[in-house]
Amino acid sequence: MVTLSSPSPSISCVESGTCKSSHVSRVLISGPDNNLGESSEPKILRDVHISERLMEDFTELARENTEKDLETCGTLAAFLERGIFYVTTLIIPKQESTANSCQAMNEVDVFSIQNERELHPVGWIHTHPSQGCFMSSVDLHTHYSYQVMVPEAFAVVVAPTDSSRSYGIFKLTDPGGMEVLRGCSETGFHLHEEPEDGNPVYEHCSNVYKNSNLRFEIFDLR
């Protein structure tokens, strides 16, 4: 669960090079949740490229919290070029965490970094240190605030103890899941009704690609 952070120096800028198609592969998720579907999106979404190394580096930065059974969260920011979003920045804000929640603090620092670099907030990433790889009801509300601004927004859930998969990349179904979250005023952990169109509330992303040749930087503001 995540409730989405003076900026510190960036930790790393890695994977030098240009974005060539030979270094790009679609994110394929294996696991038992095939009922989430491949994609229900009725509109054409722009592609998003992200470095798998970025997700690995986040997992390592979260390790200390993970070993204490505490969640860790971060914001993913991207630049838009020729109709494609390239995730180039991970911002880990100051935060307060429990085993199933993570509250971002001082989010003005996150906005400042994004604005200085003219980046789009295309998603977020957080850990489930001792739970499976899924989106909780609170996660869905957090993600709604991203996806209502940027339709391509996605959520990365890192679940190191999930034997079926270590991470998942999700989005709300549109229009079904978006309508459910738009009409839900509940807080905390709760059940959501099924969308009227018969699709699940959220699904795996089909427009996110791993780009092994993508530069990125990390700001750890904790």
Side-chain angles (χ1 to χ4, degrees), residues 104-129:
M105 315 293 289
N106 299 343
E107 289 185 285
V108 65
D109 293 341
V110 174
F111 300 143
S112 176
I113 293 173
Q114 292 175 158
N115 291 338
E116 289 172 0
R117 289 161 176 72
E118 299 182 348
L119 300 174
H120 301 266
V122 295
W124 57 294
I125 183 170
H126 78 289
T127 57
H128 281 183

PDB file of all heavy atoms in Angstrom, residues 104-129:
ATOM      1  N   ALA A 104       4.584   8.761   1.417  1.00  0.00           N
ATOM      2  CA  ALA A 104       5.598   9.692   0.916  1.00  0.00           C
ATOM      3  C   ALA A 104       5.469  11.032   1.636  1.00  0.00           C
ATOM      4  O   ALA A 104       4.364  11.499   1.905  1.00  0.00           O
ATOM      5  CB  ALA A 104       5.436   9.878  -0.582  1.00  0.00           C
ATOM      6  N   MET A 105       6.612  11.640   1.934  1.00  0.00           N
ATOM      7  CA  MET A 105       6.653  12.929   2.612  1.00  0.00           C
ATOM      8  C   MET A 105       7.356  13.947   1.715  1.00  0.00           C
ATOM      9  O   MET A 105       8.103  13.584   0.812  1.00  0.00           O
ATOM     10  CB  MET A 105       7.410  12.800   3.942  1.00  0.00           C
ATOM     11  CG  MET A 105       7.040  11.578   4.779  1.00  0.00           C
ATOM     12  SD  MET A 105       5.348  11.633   5.402  1.00  0.00           S
ATOM     13  CE  MET A 105       5.529  12.925   6.632  1.00  0.00           C
ATOM     14  N   ASN A 106       7.115  15.233   1.983  1.00  0.00           N
ATOM     15  CA  ASN A 106       7.821  16.299   1.257  1.00  0.00           C
ATOM     16  C   ASN A 106       7.772  16.102  -0.261  1.00  0.00           C
ATOM     17  O   ASN A 106       8.798  16.174  -0.947  1.00  0.00           O
ATOM     18  CB  ASN A 106       9.280  16.402   1.705  1.00  0.00           C
ATOM     19  CG  ASN A 106       9.412  16.728   3.177  1.00  0.00           C
ATOM     20  OD1 ASN A 106       8.468  17.186   3.814  1.00  0.00           O
ATOM     21  ND2 ASN A 106      10.594  16.490   3.723  1.00  0.00           N
ATOM     22  N   GLU A 107       6.579  15.861  -0.786  1.00  0.00           N
ATOM     23  CA  GLU A 107       6.456  15.581  -2.206  1.00  0.00           C
ATOM     24  C   GLU A 107       6.813  16.779  -3.081  1.00  0.00           C
ATOM     25  O   GLU A 107       7.036  16.624  -4.282  1.00  0.00           O
ATOM     26  CB  GLU A 107       5.040  15.088  -2.519  1.00  0.00           C
ATOM     27  CG  GLU A 107       4.771  13.698  -1.976  1.00  0.00           C
ATOM     28  CD  GLU A 107       3.417  13.158  -2.398  1.00  0.00           C
ATOM     29  OE1 GLU A 107       2.408  13.622  -1.816  1.00  0.00           O
ATOM     30  OE2 GLU A 107       3.377  12.304  -3.292  1.00  0.00           O
ATOM     31  N   VAL A 108       6.894  17.963  -2.491  1.00  0.00           N
ATOM     32  CA  VAL A 108       7.315  19.133  -3.261  1.00  0.00           C
ATOM     33  C   VAL A 108       8.718  18.918  -3.816  1.00  0.00           C
ATOM     34  O   VAL A 108       9.045  19.442  -4.904  1.00  0.00           O
ATOM     35  CB  VAL A 108       7.250  20.412  -2.394  1.00  0.00           C
ATOM     36  CG1 VAL A 108       8.245  20.356  -1.255  1.00  0.00           C
ATOM     37  CG2 VAL A 108       7.473  21.655  -3.242  1.00  0.00           C
ATOM     38  N   ASP A 109       9.558  18.145  -3.120  1.00  0.00           N
ATOM     39  CA  ASP A 109      10.902  17.856  -3.612  1.00  0.00           C
ATOM     40  C   ASP A 109      10.844  17.010  -4.887  1.00  0.00           C
ATOM     41  O   ASP A 109      11.651  17.182  -5.806  1.00  0.00           O
ATOM     42  CB  ASP A 109      11.713  17.120  -2.550  1.00  0.00           C
ATOM     43  CG  ASP A 109      12.005  17.988  -1.334  1.00  0.00           C
ATOM     44  OD1 ASP A 109      11.909  19.221  -1.457  1.00  0.00           O
ATOM     45  OD2 ASP A 109      12.317  17.428  -0.262  1.00  0.00           O
ATOM     46  N   VAL A 110       9.899  16.085  -4.928  1.00  0.00           N
ATOM     47  CA  VAL A 110       9.714  15.252  -6.116  1.00  0.00           C
ATOM     48  C   VAL A 110       9.281  16.119  -7.290  1.00  0.00           C
ATOM     49  O   VAL A 110       9.817  16.019  -8.401  1.00  0.00           O
ATOM     50  CB  VAL A 110       8.674  14.141  -5.853  1.00  0.00           C
ATOM     51  CG1 VAL A 110       8.377  13.377  -7.148  1.00  0.00           C
ATOM     52  CG2 VAL A 110       9.170  13.190  -4.778  1.00  0.00           C
ATOM     53  N   PHE A 111       8.286  16.983  -7.052  1.00  0.00           N
ATOM     54  CA  PHE A 111       7.796  17.859  -8.117  1.00  0.00           C
ATOM     55  C   PHE A 111       8.913  18.772  -8.614  1.00  0.00           C
ATOM     56  O   PHE A 111       8.994  19.071  -9.815  1.00  0.00           O
ATOM     57  CB  PHE A 111       6.617  18.692  -7.611  1.00  0.00           C
ATOM     58  CG  PHE A 111       5.443  17.876  -7.138  1.00  0.00           C
ATOM     59  CD1 PHE A 111       4.687  18.283  -6.042  1.00  0.00           C
ATOM     60  CD2 PHE A 111       5.104  16.692  -7.772  1.00  0.00           C
ATOM     61  CE1 PHE A 111       3.608  17.526  -5.603  1.00  0.00           C
ATOM     62  CE2 PHE A 111       4.034  15.923  -7.339  1.00  0.00           C
ATOM     63  CZ  PHE A 111       3.288  16.342  -6.247  1.00  0.00           C
ATOM     64  N   SER A 112       9.764  19.231  -7.714  1.00  0.00           N
ATOM     65  CA  SER A 112      10.849  20.127  -8.095  1.00  0.00           C
ATOM     66  C   SER A 112      11.807  19.456  -9.070  1.00  0.00           C
ATOM     67  O   SER A 112      12.201  20.047 -10.086  1.00  0.00           O
ATOM     68  CB  SER A 112      11.609  20.583  -6.840  1.00  0.00           C
ATOM     69  OG  SER A 112      12.725  21.373  -7.182  1.00  0.00           O
ATOM     70  N   ILE A 113      12.186  18.215  -8.787  1.00  0.00           N
ATOM     71  CA  ILE A 113      13.093  17.481  -9.674  1.00  0.00           C
ATOM     72  C   ILE A 113      12.452  17.258 -11.037  1.00  0.00           C
ATOM     73  O   ILE A 113      13.077  17.434 -12.082  1.00  0.00           O
ATOM     74  CB  ILE A 113      13.498  16.136  -9.038  1.00  0.00           C
ATOM     75  CG1 ILE A 113      14.358  16.381  -7.796  1.00  0.00           C
ATOM     76  CG2 ILE A 113      14.247  15.258 -10.035  1.00  0.00           C
ATOM     77  CD1 ILE A 113      14.662  15.126  -7.002  1.00  0.00           C
ATOM     78  N   GLN A 114      11.172  16.884 -11.033  1.00  0.00           N
ATOM     79  CA  GLN A 114      10.467  16.665 -12.297  1.00  0.00           C
ATOM     80  C   GLN A 114      10.380  17.946 -13.104  1.00  0.00           C
ATOM     81  O   GLN A 114      10.611  17.942 -14.324  1.00  0.00           O
ATOM     82  CB  GLN A 114       9.062  16.106 -12.025  1.00  0.00           C
ATOM     83  CG  GLN A 114       9.063  14.697 -11.458  1.00  0.00           C
ATOM     84  CD  GLN A 114       7.680  14.210 -11.090  1.00  0.00           C
ATOM     85  OE1 GLN A 114       7.442  13.014 -11.007  1.00  0.00           O
ATOM     86  NE2 GLN A 114       6.754  15.109 -10.847  1.00  0.00           N
ATOM     87  N   ASN A 115      10.033  19.030 -12.452  1.00  0.00           N
ATOM     88  CA  ASN A 115       9.862  20.300 -13.162  1.00  0.00           C
ATOM     89  C   ASN A 115      11.182  20.821 -13.719  1.00  0.00           C
ATOM     90  O   ASN A 115      11.233  21.342 -14.837  1.00  0.00           O
ATOM     91  CB  ASN A 115       9.234  21.341 -12.235  1.00  0.00           C
ATOM     92  CG  ASN A 115       7.789  21.025 -11.895  1.00  0.00           C
ATOM     93  OD1 ASN A 115       7.119  20.295 -12.632  1.00  0.00           O
ATOM     94  ND2 ASN A 115       7.305  21.553 -10.788  1.00  0.00           N
ATOM     95  N   GLU A 116      12.254  20.691 -12.946  1.00  0.00           N
ATOM     96  CA  GLU A 116      13.562  21.164 -13.405  1.00  0.00           C
ATOM     97  C   GLU A 116      14.005  20.448 -14.672  1.00  0.00           C
ATOM     98  O   GLU A 116      14.667  21.032 -15.529  1.00  0.00           O
ATOM     99  CB  GLU A 116      14.607  20.955 -12.308  1.00  0.00           C
ATOM    100  CG  GLU A 116      14.461  21.889 -11.110  1.00  0.00           C
ATOM    101  CD  GLU A 116      15.398  21.514  -9.979  1.00  0.00           C
ATOM    102  OE1 GLU A 116      16.153  20.520 -10.140  1.00  0.00           O
ATOM    103  OE2 GLU A 116      15.381  22.197  -8.937  1.00  0.00           O
ATOM    104  N   ARG A 117      13.603  19.181 -14.819  1.00  0.00           N
ATOM    105  CA  ARG A 117      14.022  18.379 -15.965  1.00  0.00           C
ATOM    106  C   ARG A 117      12.920  18.242 -17.019  1.00  0.00           C
ATOM    107  O   ARG A 117      13.096  17.520 -17.998  1.00  0.00           O
ATOM    108  CB  ARG A 117      14.463  16.984 -15.482  1.00  0.00           C
ATOM    109  CG  ARG A 117      15.767  17.025 -14.726  1.00  0.00           C
ATOM    110  CD  ARG A 117      15.981  15.808 -13.865  1.00  0.00           C
ATOM    111  NE  ARG A 117      17.301  15.837 -13.232  1.00  0.00           N
ATOM    112  CZ  ARG A 117      17.632  16.657 -12.247  1.00  0.00           C
ATOM    113  NH1 ARG A 117      16.735  17.496 -11.760  1.00  0.00           N
ATOM    114  NH2 ARG A 117      18.840  16.655 -11.753  1.00  0.00           N
ATOM    115  N   GLU A 118      11.791  18.917 -16.778  1.00  0.00           N
ATOM    116  CA  GLU A 118      10.654  18.870 -17.698  1.00  0.00           C
ATOM    117  C   GLU A 118      10.230  17.422 -17.974  1.00  0.00           C
ATOM    118  O   GLU A 118      10.069  16.992 -19.115  1.00  0.00           O
ATOM    119  CB  GLU A 118      10.981  19.596 -19.008  1.00  0.00           C
ATOM    120  CG  GLU A 118      11.305  21.078 -18.809  1.00  0.00           C
ATOM    121  CD  GLU A 118      11.582  21.800 -20.103  1.00  0.00           C
ATOM    122  OE1 GLU A 118      11.748  21.128 -21.145  1.00  0.00           O
ATOM    123  OE2 GLU A 118      11.625  23.039 -20.095  1.00  0.00           O
ATOM    124  N   LEU A 119      10.043  16.673 -16.874  1.00  0.00           N
ATOM    125  CA  LEU A 119       9.684  15.261 -16.958  1.00  0.00           C
ATOM    126  C   LEU A 119       8.213  15.039 -16.643  1.00  0.00           C
ATOM    127  O   LEU A 119       7.588  15.834 -15.941  1.00  0.00           O
ATOM    128  CB  LEU A 119      10.540  14.449 -15.981  1.00  0.00           C
ATOM    129  CG  LEU A 119      12.052  14.501 -16.203  1.00  0.00           C
ATOM    130  CD1 LEU A 119      12.778  13.769 -15.079  1.00  0.00           C
ATOM    131  CD2 LEU A 119      12.423  13.898 -17.553  1.00  0.00           C
ATOM    132  N   HIS A 120       7.686  13.935 -17.147  1.00  0.00           N
ATOM    133  CA  HIS A 120       6.299  13.542 -16.884  1.00  0.00           C
ATOM    134  C   HIS A 120       6.271  12.462 -15.799  1.00  0.00           C
ATOM    135  O   HIS A 120       7.065  11.510 -15.849  1.00  0.00           O
ATOM    136  CB  HIS A 120       5.650  12.979 -18.158  1.00  0.00           C
ATOM    137  CG  HIS A 120       5.622  13.938 -19.310  1.00  0.00           C
ATOM    138  ND1 HIS A 120       4.544  14.746 -19.577  1.00  0.00           N
ATOM    139  CD2 HIS A 120       6.551  14.212 -20.271  1.00  0.00           C
ATOM    140  CE1 HIS A 120       4.792  15.470 -20.647  1.00  0.00           C
ATOM    141  NE2 HIS A 120       6.003  15.168 -21.088  1.00  0.00           N
ATOM    142  N   PRO A 121       5.347  12.549 -14.830  1.00  0.00           N
ATOM    143  CA  PRO A 121       5.217  11.501 -13.814  1.00  0.00           C
ATOM    144  C   PRO A 121       4.451  10.311 -14.395  1.00  0.00           C
ATOM    145  O   PRO A 121       3.228  10.231 -14.310  1.00  0.00           O
ATOM    146  CB  PRO A 121       4.426  12.191 -12.698  1.00  0.00           C
ATOM    147  CG  PRO A 121       3.588  13.211 -13.428  1.00  0.00           C
ATOM    148  CD  PRO A 121       4.402  13.669 -14.602  1.00  0.00           C
ATOM    149  N   VAL A 122       5.164   9.363 -14.971  1.00  0.00           N
ATOM    150  CA  VAL A 122       4.515   8.278 -15.698  1.00  0.00           C
ATOM    151  C   VAL A 122       4.281   7.031 -14.851  1.00  0.00           C
ATOM    152  O   VAL A 122       3.741   6.045 -15.355  1.00  0.00           O
ATOM    153  CB  VAL A 122       5.309   7.876 -16.955  1.00  0.00           C
ATOM    154  CG1 VAL A 122       5.344   9.014 -17.951  1.00  0.00           C
ATOM    155  CG2 VAL A 122       6.711   7.429 -16.589  1.00  0.00           C
ATOM    156  N   GLY A 123       4.693   7.066 -13.598  1.00  0.00           N
ATOM    157  CA  GLY A 123       4.451   5.880 -12.793  1.00  0.00           C
ATOM    158  C   GLY A 123       5.135   5.921 -11.445  1.00  0.00           C
ATOM    159  O   GLY A 123       5.716   6.930 -11.045  1.00  0.00           O
ATOM    160  N   TRP A 124       5.075   4.809 -10.763  1.00  0.00           N
ATOM    161  CA  TRP A 124       5.647   4.695  -9.429  1.00  0.00           C
ATOM    162  C   TRP A 124       6.014   3.241  -9.184  1.00  0.00           C
ATOM    163  O   TRP A 124       5.564   2.336  -9.899  1.00  0.00           O
ATOM    164  CB  TRP A 124       4.672   5.219  -8.386  1.00  0.00           C
ATOM    165  CG  TRP A 124       3.314   4.562  -8.380  1.00  0.00           C
ATOM    166  CD1 TRP A 124       2.365   4.616  -9.370  1.00  0.00           C
ATOM    167  CD2 TRP A 124       2.757   3.747  -7.351  1.00  0.00           C
ATOM    168  NE1 TRP A 124       1.253   3.888  -9.010  1.00  0.00           N
ATOM    169  CE2 TRP A 124       1.468   3.353  -7.770  1.00  0.00           C
ATOM    170  CE3 TRP A 124       3.220   3.340  -6.101  1.00  0.00           C
ATOM    171  CZ2 TRP A 124       0.639   2.547  -7.001  1.00  0.00           C
ATOM    172  CZ3 TRP A 124       2.390   2.540  -5.315  1.00  0.00           C
ATOM    173  CH2 TRP A 124       1.117   2.158  -5.773  1.00  0.00           C
ATOM    174  N   ILE A 125       6.856   3.034  -8.204  1.00  0.00           N
ATOM    175  CA  ILE A 125       7.351   1.701  -7.897  1.00  0.00           C
ATOM    176  C   ILE A 125       7.361   1.532  -6.387  1.00  0.00           C
ATOM    177  O   ILE A 125       7.666   2.472  -5.658  1.00  0.00           O
ATOM    178  CB  ILE A 125       8.770   1.509  -8.499  1.00  0.00           C
ATOM    179  CG1 ILE A 125       9.287   0.092  -8.262  1.00  0.00           C
ATOM    180  CG2 ILE A 125       9.741   2.553  -7.966  1.00  0.00           C
ATOM    181  CD1 ILE A 125      10.570  -0.206  -9.042  1.00  0.00           C
ATOM    182  N   HIS A 126       6.971   0.364  -5.922  1.00  0.00           N
ATOM    183  CA  HIS A 126       7.030   0.114  -4.477  1.00  0.00           C
ATOM    184  C   HIS A 126       7.164  -1.373  -4.208  1.00  0.00           C
ATOM    185  O   HIS A 126       6.897  -2.214  -5.077  1.00  0.00           O
ATOM    186  CB  HIS A 126       5.816   0.700  -3.751  1.00  0.00           C
ATOM    187  CG  HIS A 126       4.562  -0.103  -3.855  1.00  0.00           C
ATOM    188  ND1 HIS A 126       3.832  -0.211  -5.021  1.00  0.00           N
ATOM    189  CD2 HIS A 126       3.870  -0.826  -2.926  1.00  0.00           C
ATOM    190  CE1 HIS A 126       2.750  -0.951  -4.807  1.00  0.00           C
ATOM    191  NE2 HIS A 126       2.760  -1.350  -3.546  1.00  0.00           N
ATOM    192  N   THR A 127       7.617  -1.679  -3.003  1.00  0.00           N
ATOM    193  CA  THR A 127       7.850  -3.066  -2.622  1.00  0.00           C
ATOM    194  C   THR A 127       6.688  -3.631  -1.815  1.00  0.00           C
ATOM    195  O   THR A 127       5.980  -2.910  -1.119  1.00  0.00           O
ATOM    196  CB  THR A 127       9.128  -3.187  -1.769  1.00  0.00           C
ATOM    197  OG1 THR A 127       9.006  -2.332  -0.615  1.00  0.00           O
ATOM    198  CG2 THR A 127      10.359  -2.796  -2.567  1.00  0.00           C
ATOM    199  N   HIS A 128       6.516  -4.933  -1.936  1.00  0.00           N
ATOM    200  CA  HIS A 128       5.705  -5.731  -1.023  1.00  0.00           C
ATOM    201  C   HIS A 128       6.695  -6.682  -0.363  1.00  0.00           C
ATOM    202  O   HIS A 128       6.939  -7.787  -0.858  1.00  0.00           O
ATOM    203  CB  HIS A 128       4.629  -6.522  -1.776  1.00  0.00           C
ATOM    204  CG  HIS A 128       3.427  -5.718  -2.158  1.00  0.00           C
ATOM    205  ND1 HIS A 128       2.324  -6.269  -2.789  1.00  0.00           N
ATOM    206  CD2 HIS A 128       3.145  -4.398  -2.000  1.00  0.00           C
ATOM    207  CE1 HIS A 128       1.428  -5.330  -3.004  1.00  0.00           C
ATOM    208  NE2 HIS A 128       1.897  -4.189  -2.539  1.00  0.00           N
ATOM    209  N   PRO A 129       7.313  -6.275   0.736  1.00  0.00           N
ATOM    210  CA  PRO A 129       8.420  -7.058   1.302  1.00  0.00           C
ATOM    211  C   PRO A 129       8.070  -8.475   1.714  1.00  0.00           C
ATOM    212  O   PRO A 129       8.922  -9.366   1.646  1.00  0.00           O
ATOM    213  CB  PRO A 129       8.867  -6.219   2.501  1.00  0.00           C
ATOM    214  CG  PRO A 129       7.715  -5.323   2.810  1.00  0.00           C
ATOM    215  CD  PRO A 129       7.049  -5.055   1.504  1.00  0.00           C
TER     216      PRO A 129
END
